[in-house]
Amino acid sequence: MKTEIVAVGTELLLGQIVDTNSSWMGEQLALAGIDSHYQTKVGDNWDRIDASFRLALDRSDAVIVCGGLGPTQDDITREVLASVMGVELVLDERIAERIRSMFASRSRPMPENNLRQAMVPAGATPIPQQPGTAPGLMAPIRWVRGVGAVPLGAEPPDGAEVLDRVVYVVPGVPYEMREMLNGTVLGDLQRRAGVSATIESRVLRTWGQSESGLAEMLAGRIDELDEAGNPTLAFLASGIEGIKVRITAKGADSAEAWQLIDSEQAVLEPMLGDLVFAYDDDTMETAVLAELGRLGLTLGVAETVTGGRMANRLSSAEAAMRAGTAAGGAKLGDPGLASSPVGDQPDSSVPRTFTGGIVARSEHLAEYLLHAGSSAVSPMGDDLVPPLASTAGAEALARAARLRTGASVGLAVTAVEDRASATPEHPYGTAFLAVSISAQAAHGDTPAVAHRDMADEIRLPGDRERLADYSAISALNLLRLVLTGRR
């Protein structure tokens, strides 16, 4: 069964909004075992939407249309679909009442133009899930290629081949679209396609190796899997989120598919070693926070080039983990990262792991942090401060982060971010990453981590924005390796 995606909205063509909906739907269709051969973007223009629908119905068994279901004049997906089907729009009172109730629950009057969203092409049915005011639609169509729809009750042209097509229309709001896809569309497509097998996948998230490097490391295993056919491996480069290695398996049921994935993961992880930092939707910061929570440690950060990126990522991830809404399911205090969603209720009693951060963009603030009237920060003495862009300077910043935030672990990053201050020894893009662990954190007969300061010097590519992004993720990765005893 061939499926096609048509994304509607002039903003997609102008680049004002990136069409992440189509890429997500394509991924879900693949995981559901449904072939998807085409994706089209079209602006809010009647003739072009009409042509896109007709072309899609000529060549695909099912069409998923995303967008154009709002209440304004340029939201014309419903009207064009009705025209292509050769039917009228009719008011669905159940949808209208649901929209009225949504406005009433917010103590707001409903504008009359919202009733446009309750208009449904005759013969189409609303998708049961409706998290917003825009209902999704499911419209079966009898179609003659090159001619068009055969209206309800009408006879097709003599000798014409009548094709059974279906059009699903979903909103462009991502969370609304996803609820409808997961709740109705994917299951209905599998039923129509006769897909009985279950397809599952797991993503191993890696940092520290290129996509080509990973492919080379796993070349032998990939050849073996290509010959076996199930499970399969795929690579996805994700910028500062690393390289994803996706294991996909097909089984008679979910349990069989997951068993294949677990077996393959057990083969891959020893081959990838320290490169794997998380699974599925977990991130580098959730990995770090989960490990800190497991060890009973707290973290403070000091940043220069990253301008608060580390603090932002850590505080956002910690808030999600404490609330139980972290994308991949990791929670503070987990014994390592979950490989599937945890689903536990939020636990407000869990202590905070991230104590805070300091962004030192001025030399005055950086010097204050490094002096701070304490030889504990700068062993060189109060009057002898190491250069900020150096391993010694990064170590001093990490100690300052630990001491000034009251944490047991300090993490710092600085870099040569000004080409004018670059040297042959330390060219532009040289980043200095450092970790400082207090003696108190390492005390006991069997300390989880050793009391020490350590720093790395690395070279990073790109402009200043990329330098800042990659410095932040690299520093978090260094801390992950230290906490797990791999550095």
Side-chain angles (χ1 to χ4, degrees):
M1 183 173 191
K2 293 181 292 185
T3 301
E4 182 160 343
I5 297 168
V6 177
V8 178
T10 301
E11 65 275 10
L12 302 174
L13 300 179
L14 298 178
Q16 295 169 342
I17 295 178
V18 178
D19 181 21
T20 57
N21 284 344
S22 293
S23 60
W24 183 87
M25 286 189 283
E27 181 181 30
Q28 301 312 303
L29 289 168
L31 293 176
I34 305 295
D35 292 331
S36 175
H37 291 178
Y38 302 97
Q39 291 186 4
T40 300
K41 295 177 186 58
V42 61
D44 299 308
N45 174 276
W46 185 293
D47 291 340
R48 288 191 284 275
I49 296 174
D50 180 282
S52 296
F53 286 3
R54 292 180 185 277
L55 175 61
L57 288 164
D58 270 353
R59 65 190 181 186
S60 300
D61 302 299
V63 181
I64 303 174
V65 181
C66 183
L69 291 179
T72 59
Q73 289 82 350
D74 62 342
D75 293 309
I76 57 175
T77 295
R78 286 174 297 266
E79 288 81 356
V80 179
L81 177 60
S83 175
V84 170
M85 293 172 65
V87 301
E88 298 294 324
L89 286 168
V90 294
L91 179 68
D92 188 312
E93 275 296 343
R94 290 173 300 176
I95 295 176
E97 185 54 37
R98 185 183 297 179
I99 296 172
R100 291 188 189 101
S101 298
M102 287 182 182
F103 277 91
S105 68
R106 301 166 189 165
S107 300
R108 293 169 56 192
M110 185 193 77
E112 282 302 307
N113 63 353
N114 275 96
L115 286 180
R116 293 185 68 238
Q117 296 179 290
M119 302 300 291
V120 176
T125 57
I127 291 175
Q129 296 77 25
Q130 187 186 338
T133 59
L137 302 171
M138 185 162 54
I141 302 176
R142 298 167 67 216
W143 189 260
V144 176
R145 188 178 286 115
V147 175
V150 180
L152 294 172
E155 292 297 321
D158 290 341
E161 180 186 8
V162 180
L163 306 169
D164 289 325
R165 304 302 206 206
V166 62
V167 176
Y168 307 93
V169 187
V170 295
V173 179
Y175 83 91
E176 296 180 15
M177 174 274 294
R178 294 185 181 201
E179 187 168 328
M180 294 181 191
L181 260 288
N182 289 327
T184 293
V185 175
L186 293 174
D188 191 66
L189 280 170
Q190 287 181 313
R191 179 185 62 78
R192 291 173 184 271
V195 175
S196 57
T198 298
I199 298 175
E200 304 286 0
S201 70
R202 175 174 296 151
V203 172
L204 310 186
R205 306 187 66 157
T206 71
W207 182 262
Q209 183 58 272
S210 66
E211 185 176 3
S212 58
L214 285 176
E216 193 171 283
M217 291 173 65
L218 301 178
R221 185 57 184 166
I222 291 171
D223 290 342
E224 294 171 1
L225 292 175
D226 284 346
E227 191 171 323
N230 187 34
T232 61
L233 291 186
F235 300 100
L236 177 62
S238 303
I240 64 166
E241 303 305 328
I243 309 293
K244 298 174 183 176
V245 181
R246 187 181 67 209
I247 310 169
T248 302
K250 182 184 294 186
D253 54 27
S254 184
E256 181 179 322
W258 280 117
Q259 185 175 14
L260 288 169
I261 289 172
D262 289 339
S263 298
E264 185 57 30
Q265 181 177 343
V267 173
L268 293 178
E269 287 199 316
M271 299 174 71
L272 296 171
D274 296 345
L275 297 176
V276 178
F277 67 83
Y279 306 96
D280 295 328
D281 291 326
D282 280 315
T283 61
M284 185 69 78
E285 51 268 29
T286 59
V288 167
L289 289 167
E291 191 63 24
L292 286 164
R294 186 183 71 82
L295 297 172
L297 302 176
T298 55
L299 172 66
V301 301
E303 311 181 54
T304 61
V305 62
T306 48
R309 283 167 171 80
M310 289 198 301
N312 180 60
R313 292 180 68 122
L314 288 162
S315 57
S316 297
E318 183 176 56
M321 293 167 74
R322 286 170 59 83
T325 58
K331 291 185 70 181
L332 293 178
D334 277 353
L337 282 177
S339 58
S340 59
V342 174
D344 291 342
Q345 294 299 313
D347 184 0
S348 59
S349 65
V350 176
R352 292 191 182 278
T353 298
F354 178 55
T355 59
I358 305 165
V359 179
R361 292 299 299 155
S362 73
E363 289 185 9
H364 174 76
L365 178 56
E367 288 177 3
Y368 170 76
L369 287 173
L370 295 183
H371 280 288
S374 171
S375 59
V377 173
S378 176
M380 302 170 71
D382 289 345
D383 297 323
L384 295 173
V385 176
L388 197 59
S390 66
T391 53
E395 285 185 2
L397 272 180
R399 286 190 293 272
R402 172 170 59 79
L403 292 168
R404 303 311 158 214
T405 65
S408 46
V409 178
L411 177 66
V413 58
T414 184
V416 180
E417 56 179 299
D418 179 4
R419 296 183 187 277
S421 61
T423 66
E425 183 183 4
H426 294 136
Y428 171 82
T430 305
F432 304 93
L433 324 170
V435 175
S436 175
I437 300 175
S438 70
Q440 290 79 6
H443 78 284
D445 296 332
T446 55
V449 289
H451 166 45
R452 60 170 171 154
D453 298 331
M454 63 93 61
D456 258 2
E457 177 182 326
I458 60 175
R459 302 281 192 274
L460 295 172
D463 59 16
R464 195 196 168 284
E465 285 301 302
R466 291 187 68 197
L467 172 59
D469 287 337
Y470 280 95
S471 294
I473 199 76
S474 297
L476 290 169
N477 186 57
L478 173 62
L479 178 57
R480 174 185 70 90
L481 295 172
V482 169
L483 294 174
T484 54
R486 297 166 185 170
R487 284 293 304 270

